[in-house]
Amino acid sequence: VDYALAYRPDVQQQEFAVERAKAAVGQRRALFYPVVGASASQDFQSTDNGRLGRDEFASTVGINLSYELFTGGRHVAALAESKHARSEAERLLDAAALNAQSEVRDSVINLEAALQLLALQEETTSFVQRNRDLVEKEYQAGQGALARLNQAQRDLVAAEGRLALARVALRRTWHSVHTATGETL
């Protein structure tokens, strides 16, 4: 679960959304402070025939300070809106984290079930194999019918097929565990 919370893209996306919303709140708070601007320029004007002199250069330096005294509540509303967006992003992050935890736990439960099913199928196949071997010995000794040997062989093939399907299901379940934790990315 910890690995999934650290590396799943959907959780990371929501974490970045929370960070973005926090930055937006800071940006909206900045609207309440004065704005300071600085500028500098250097101009050249020639009145002579290409000769450069000191009097033909002009430099300008300026500082500008502005502060809005009344905005009609625009900045307050913008700040409140960004705080609500941050709150929504935090709730979405919590939902993504809960979803990731749920998916990991579900996939682990499915993995345990697949492991148990595989163990049962291996045991069943072993019993069916033993039964088939006994029926074959009985047939070779002339004590059993060919139809019974065919049925035992059919049962063995079916059991081996179920065992193969259980192995495939286990592999699929392992893949879903890796996907749920974000390891396959």
Side-chain angles (χ1 to χ4, degrees):
V1 171
D2 291 337
Y3 188 89
L5 293 178
Y7 293 105
R8 275 184 54 146
D10 55 342
V11 176
Q12 287 179 339
Q13 178 184 11
Q14 291 305 321
E15 287 173 351
F16 292 139
V18 169
E19 292 301 317
R20 190 171 47 249
K22 286 179 182 178
V25 169
Q27 183 182 19
R28 298 294 168 91
R29 274 198 184 116
L31 295 174
F32 291 100
Y33 296 106
V35 177
V36 178
S39 62
S41 66
Q42 188 170 20
D43 299 325
F44 170 73
Q45 183 178 9
S46 175
T47 56
D48 208 351
N49 291 334
R51 290 195 173 147
L52 295 177
R54 208 168 227 205
D55 296 337
E56 292 156 353
F57 287 97
S59 298
T60 306
V61 177
I63 295 178
N64 180 23
L65 175 71
S66 66
Y67 185 74
E68 293 183 351
L69 296 175
F70 179 72
T71 60
R74 181 181 46 179
H75 295 324
V76 174
L79 179 61
E81 179 185 2
S82 63
K83 284 182 178 179
H84 290 298
R86 178 189 63 196
S87 161
E88 180 184 2
E90 289 169 348
R91 300 298 181 276
L92 289 173
L93 174 61
D94 291 343
L98 288 174
N99 183 40
Q101 291 172 3
S102 173
E103 286 182 14
V104 169
R105 288 189 176 107
D106 286 346
S107 64
V108 168
I109 289 170
N110 291 339
L111 177 65
E112 290 172 352
L115 286 169
Q116 290 174 357
L117 179 64
L118 179 63
L120 289 173
Q121 287 300 330
E122 286 174 343
E123 185 178 2
T124 301
T125 303
S126 170
F127 289 141
V128 171
Q129 176 70 45
R130 250 190 297 165
N131 185 42
R132 189 240 176 243
D133 292 344
L134 290 173
V135 170
E136 182 182 19
K137 287 179 183 177
E138 186 180 272
Y139 175 74
Q140 288 176 351
Q143 299 294 322
L146 180 62
R148 186 165 171 191
L149 178 61
N150 286 340
Q151 181 63 38
Q153 182 65 35
R154 197 170 329 136
D155 292 343
L156 177 62
V157 169
E160 287 175 343
R162 287 190 299 272
L163 177 62
L165 289 175
R167 288 180 178 149
V168 169
L170 179 64
R171 296 270 182 174
R172 230 180 320 147
T173 307
W174 267 115
H175 179 70
S176 71
V177 168
H178 291 306
T179 301
T181 58
E183 292 179 42
T184 58
L185 300 175

PDB file of all heavy atoms in Angstrom, residues 164-179:
ATOM      1  N   ALA A 164      -3.821 -26.045 -15.326  1.00  0.00           N
ATOM      2  CA  ALA A 164      -3.209 -25.029 -16.199  1.00  0.00           C
ATOM      3  C   ALA A 164      -3.962 -23.704 -16.096  1.00  0.00           C
ATOM      4  O   ALA A 164      -3.347 -22.629 -16.032  1.00  0.00           O
ATOM      5  CB  ALA A 164      -3.192 -25.520 -17.648  1.00  0.00           C
ATOM      6  N   LEU A 165      -5.298 -23.765 -16.048  1.00  0.00           N
ATOM      7  CA  LEU A 165      -6.081 -22.534 -15.894  1.00  0.00           C
ATOM      8  C   LEU A 165      -5.818 -21.861 -14.550  1.00  0.00           C
ATOM      9  O   LEU A 165      -5.787 -20.631 -14.451  1.00  0.00           O
ATOM     10  CB  LEU A 165      -7.573 -22.835 -16.057  1.00  0.00           C
ATOM     11  CG  LEU A 165      -8.023 -23.187 -17.471  1.00  0.00           C
ATOM     12  CD1 LEU A 165      -9.493 -23.591 -17.469  1.00  0.00           C
ATOM     13  CD2 LEU A 165      -7.781 -22.026 -18.414  1.00  0.00           C
ATOM     14  N   ALA A 166      -5.615 -22.654 -13.505  1.00  0.00           N
ATOM     15  CA  ALA A 166      -5.305 -22.088 -12.188  1.00  0.00           C
ATOM     16  C   ALA A 166      -3.944 -21.393 -12.213  1.00  0.00           C
ATOM     17  O   ALA A 166      -3.771 -20.333 -11.601  1.00  0.00           O
ATOM     18  CB  ALA A 166      -5.330 -23.177 -11.121  1.00  0.00           C
ATOM     19  N   ARG A 167      -2.985 -21.967 -12.935  1.00  0.00           N
ATOM     20  CA  ARG A 167      -1.665 -21.316 -13.063  1.00  0.00           C
ATOM     21  C   ARG A 167      -1.766 -20.004 -13.843  1.00  0.00           C
ATOM     22  O   ARG A 167      -1.137 -19.007 -13.486  1.00  0.00           O
ATOM     23  CB  ARG A 167      -0.682 -22.263 -13.741  1.00  0.00           C
ATOM     24  CG  ARG A 167      -0.257 -23.394 -12.852  1.00  0.00           C
ATOM     25  CD  ARG A 167       0.714 -24.326 -13.535  1.00  0.00           C
ATOM     26  NE  ARG A 167       1.133 -25.374 -12.619  1.00  0.00           N
ATOM     27  CZ  ARG A 167       1.452 -26.592 -12.988  1.00  0.00           C
ATOM     28  NH1 ARG A 167       1.412 -26.926 -14.269  1.00  0.00           N
ATOM     29  NH2 ARG A 167       1.823 -27.470 -12.090  1.00  0.00           N
ATOM     30  N   VAL A 168      -2.565 -20.002 -14.900  1.00  0.00           N
ATOM     31  CA  VAL A 168      -2.774 -18.772 -15.668  1.00  0.00           C
ATOM     32  C   VAL A 168      -3.462 -17.719 -14.810  1.00  0.00           C
ATOM     33  O   VAL A 168      -3.086 -16.545 -14.821  1.00  0.00           O
ATOM     34  CB  VAL A 168      -3.597 -19.069 -16.950  1.00  0.00           C
ATOM     35  CG1 VAL A 168      -4.058 -17.789 -17.609  1.00  0.00           C
ATOM     36  CG2 VAL A 168      -2.782 -19.917 -17.913  1.00  0.00           C
ATOM     37  N   ALA A 169      -4.461 -18.140 -14.031  1.00  0.00           N
ATOM     38  CA  ALA A 169      -5.166 -17.201 -13.154  1.00  0.00           C
ATOM     39  C   ALA A 169      -4.216 -16.622 -12.108  1.00  0.00           C
ATOM     40  O   ALA A 169      -4.296 -15.430 -11.776  1.00  0.00           O
ATOM     41  CB  ALA A 169      -6.340 -17.899 -12.480  1.00  0.00           C
ATOM     42  N   LEU A 170      -3.298 -17.435 -11.622  1.00  0.00           N
ATOM     43  CA  LEU A 170      -2.316 -16.936 -10.650  1.00  0.00           C
ATOM     44  C   LEU A 170      -1.414 -15.883 -11.293  1.00  0.00           C
ATOM     45  O   LEU A 170      -1.157 -14.829 -10.704  1.00  0.00           O
ATOM     46  CB  LEU A 170      -1.486 -18.089 -10.095  1.00  0.00           C
ATOM     47  CG  LEU A 170      -0.406 -17.688  -9.096  1.00  0.00           C
ATOM     48  CD1 LEU A 170      -1.030 -17.094  -7.839  1.00  0.00           C
ATOM     49  CD2 LEU A 170       0.475 -18.868  -8.749  1.00  0.00           C
ATOM     50  N   ARG A 171      -0.956 -16.148 -12.497  1.00  0.00           N
ATOM     51  CA  ARG A 171      -0.120 -15.160 -13.205  1.00  0.00           C
ATOM     52  C   ARG A 171      -0.889 -13.862 -13.436  1.00  0.00           C
ATOM     53  O   ARG A 171      -0.354 -12.772 -13.264  1.00  0.00           O
ATOM     54  CB  ARG A 171       0.342 -15.707 -14.557  1.00  0.00           C
ATOM     55  CG  ARG A 171       1.233 -16.885 -14.480  1.00  0.00           C
ATOM     56  CD  ARG A 171       2.639 -16.452 -14.406  1.00  0.00           C
ATOM     57  NE  ARG A 171       3.471 -17.637 -14.380  1.00  0.00           N
ATOM     58  CZ  ARG A 171       4.752 -17.607 -14.432  1.00  0.00           C
ATOM     59  NH1 ARG A 171       5.357 -16.464 -14.530  1.00  0.00           N
ATOM     60  NH2 ARG A 171       5.435 -18.708 -14.387  1.00  0.00           N
ATOM     61  N   ARG A 172      -2.140 -13.978 -13.849  1.00  0.00           N
ATOM     62  CA  ARG A 172      -2.980 -12.792 -14.076  1.00  0.00           C
ATOM     63  C   ARG A 172      -3.176 -12.015 -12.777  1.00  0.00           C
ATOM     64  O   ARG A 172      -3.140 -10.783 -12.757  1.00  0.00           O
ATOM     65  CB  ARG A 172      -4.324 -13.228 -14.643  1.00  0.00           C
ATOM     66  CG  ARG A 172      -4.707 -12.467 -15.872  1.00  0.00           C
ATOM     67  CD  ARG A 172      -6.026 -12.888 -16.455  1.00  0.00           C
ATOM     68  NE  ARG A 172      -6.194 -14.326 -16.389  1.00  0.00           N
ATOM     69  CZ  ARG A 172      -7.338 -14.936 -16.216  1.00  0.00           C
ATOM     70  NH1 ARG A 172      -8.432 -14.256 -16.095  1.00  0.00           N
ATOM     71  NH2 ARG A 172      -7.413 -16.239 -16.161  1.00  0.00           N
ATOM     72  N   THR A 173      -3.369 -12.738 -11.696  1.00  0.00           N
ATOM     73  CA  THR A 173      -3.573 -12.088 -10.399  1.00  0.00           C
ATOM     74  C   THR A 173      -2.299 -11.387  -9.943  1.00  0.00           C
ATOM     75  O   THR A 173      -2.354 -10.285  -9.400  1.00  0.00           O
ATOM     76  CB  THR A 173      -4.030 -13.122  -9.353  1.00  0.00           C
ATOM     77  OG1 THR A 173      -5.152 -13.822  -9.867  1.00  0.00           O
ATOM     78  CG2 THR A 173      -4.400 -12.457  -8.060  1.00  0.00           C
ATOM     79  N   TRP A 174      -1.139 -12.016 -10.173  1.00  0.00           N
ATOM     80  CA  TRP A 174       0.129 -11.342  -9.845  1.00  0.00           C
ATOM     81  C   TRP A 174       0.258 -10.061 -10.651  1.00  0.00           C
ATOM     82  O   TRP A 174       0.724  -9.032 -10.142  1.00  0.00           O
ATOM     83  CB  TRP A 174       1.321 -12.262 -10.131  1.00  0.00           C
ATOM     84  CG  TRP A 174       1.750 -13.045  -8.937  1.00  0.00           C
ATOM     85  CD1 TRP A 174       1.693 -14.391  -8.782  1.00  0.00           C
ATOM     86  CD2 TRP A 174       2.299 -12.529  -7.724  1.00  0.00           C
ATOM     87  NE1 TRP A 174       2.169 -14.749  -7.548  1.00  0.00           N
ATOM     88  CE2 TRP A 174       2.564 -13.624  -6.875  1.00  0.00           C
ATOM     89  CE3 TRP A 174       2.599 -11.264  -7.256  1.00  0.00           C
ATOM     90  CZ2 TRP A 174       3.099 -13.490  -5.595  1.00  0.00           C
ATOM     91  CZ3 TRP A 174       3.141 -11.116  -5.984  1.00  0.00           C
ATOM     92  CH2 TRP A 174       3.381 -12.214  -5.176  1.00  0.00           C
ATOM     93  N   HIS A 175      -0.136 -10.103 -11.902  1.00  0.00           N
ATOM     94  CA  HIS A 175      -0.072  -8.894 -12.729  1.00  0.00           C
ATOM     95  C   HIS A 175      -0.999  -7.810 -12.177  1.00  0.00           C
ATOM     96  O   HIS A 175      -0.635  -6.634 -12.146  1.00  0.00           O
ATOM     97  CB  HIS A 175      -0.434  -9.211 -14.179  1.00  0.00           C
ATOM     98  CG  HIS A 175      -0.410  -8.017 -15.071  1.00  0.00           C
ATOM     99  ND1 HIS A 175       0.753  -7.375 -15.428  1.00  0.00           N
ATOM    100  CD2 HIS A 175      -1.409  -7.320 -15.653  1.00  0.00           C
ATOM    101  CE1 HIS A 175       0.467  -6.335 -16.187  1.00  0.00           C
ATOM    102  NE2 HIS A 175      -0.849  -6.285 -16.344  1.00  0.00           N
ATOM    103  N   SER A 176      -2.178  -8.201 -11.718  1.00  0.00           N
ATOM    104  CA  SER A 176      -3.089  -7.193 -11.154  1.00  0.00           C
ATOM    105  C   SER A 176      -2.539  -6.618  -9.856  1.00  0.00           C
ATOM    106  O   SER A 176      -2.741  -5.438  -9.566  1.00  0.00           O
ATOM    107  CB  SER A 176      -4.484  -7.778 -10.947  1.00  0.00           C
ATOM    108  OG  SER A 176      -4.491  -8.698  -9.889  1.00  0.00           O
ATOM    109  N   VAL A 177      -1.804  -7.423  -9.075  1.00  0.00           N
ATOM    110  CA  VAL A 177      -1.159  -6.893  -7.860  1.00  0.00           C
ATOM    111  C   VAL A 177      -0.105  -5.862  -8.254  1.00  0.00           C
ATOM    112  O   VAL A 177      -0.038  -4.767  -7.673  1.00  0.00           O
ATOM    113  CB  VAL A 177      -0.526  -8.034  -7.027  1.00  0.00           C
ATOM    114  CG1 VAL A 177       0.391  -7.478  -5.946  1.00  0.00           C
ATOM    115  CG2 VAL A 177      -1.607  -8.898  -6.410  1.00  0.00           C
ATOM    116  N   HIS A 178       0.714  -6.192  -9.249  1.00  0.00           N
ATOM    117  CA  HIS A 178       1.755  -5.250  -9.686  1.00  0.00           C
ATOM    118  C   HIS A 178       1.144  -3.983 -10.279  1.00  0.00           C
ATOM    119  O   HIS A 178       1.667  -2.888 -10.103  1.00  0.00           O
ATOM    120  CB  HIS A 178       2.688  -5.907 -10.704  1.00  0.00           C
ATOM    121  CG  HIS A 178       3.549  -6.985 -10.101  1.00  0.00           C
ATOM    122  ND1 HIS A 178       4.351  -6.788  -9.011  1.00  0.00           N
ATOM    123  CD2 HIS A 178       3.707  -8.283 -10.447  1.00  0.00           C
ATOM    124  CE1 HIS A 178       4.980  -7.906  -8.701  1.00  0.00           C
ATOM    125  NE2 HIS A 178       4.613  -8.831  -9.558  1.00  0.00           N
ATOM    126  N   THR A 179       0.032  -4.138 -10.966  1.00  0.00           N
ATOM    127  CA  THR A 179      -0.639  -2.958 -11.533  1.00  0.00           C
ATOM    128  C   THR A 179      -1.250  -2.104 -10.431  1.00  0.00           C
ATOM    129  O   THR A 179      -1.148  -0.874 -10.461  1.00  0.00           O
ATOM    130  CB  THR A 179      -1.724  -3.407 -12.521  1.00  0.00           C
ATOM    131  OG1 THR A 179      -1.105  -4.184 -13.556  1.00  0.00           O
ATOM    132  CG2 THR A 179      -2.420  -2.214 -13.150  1.00  0.00           C
TER     133      THR A 179
END
